[in-house]
Amino acid sequence: MKVTLDRIEGIVAVLISREDESVRVNVPVSLLPPGCREGDILTIRIERDRVATEAAQERVAGLIEKLKKRK
């Protein structure tokens, strides 16, 4: 998704979608690439981490089993 860095408000960067200006995303400035300035065009990419998701699910399932055994 292409966005424009509209403005920086303190520690928050306001990004506006290039496809639909009604779509705005607020992100911490610390997540921006170094040197970004207002007006820059950025690409946002979100990926699903299946390995991490499965590991988290297994960890939670193990904790639930431990809790069940306590009763």
Side-chain angles (χ1 to χ4, degrees):
M1 175 169 124
K2 297 283 186 189
V3 296
T4 302
L5 174 52
D6 182 55
R7 63 188 180 279
I8 295 175
E9 298 176 342
I11 61 170
V12 175
V14 179
L15 309 176
I16 299 176
S17 170
R18 305 276 296 162
E19 295 173 12
D20 180 354
E21 291 185 3
S22 69
V23 176
R24 295 169 186 252
V25 179
N26 296 336
V27 299
V29 171
S30 62
L31 294 180
L32 296 178
C36 282
R37 298 186 329 203
E38 293 175 358
D40 284 351
I41 307 297
L42 307 170
T43 300
I44 296 177
R45 184 173 163 180
I46 300 173
E47 295 178 344
R48 181 176 180 215
D49 187 334
R50 291 181 183 193
V51 172
T53 300
E54 289 172 7
Q57 289 171 338
E58 288 174 15
R59 185 180 65 79
V60 170
L63 292 172
I64 291 171
E65 285 303 313
K66 283 183 183 178
L67 288 172
K68 287 180 181 179
K69 289 178 182 178
R70 282 186 174 178
K71 293 179 180 182

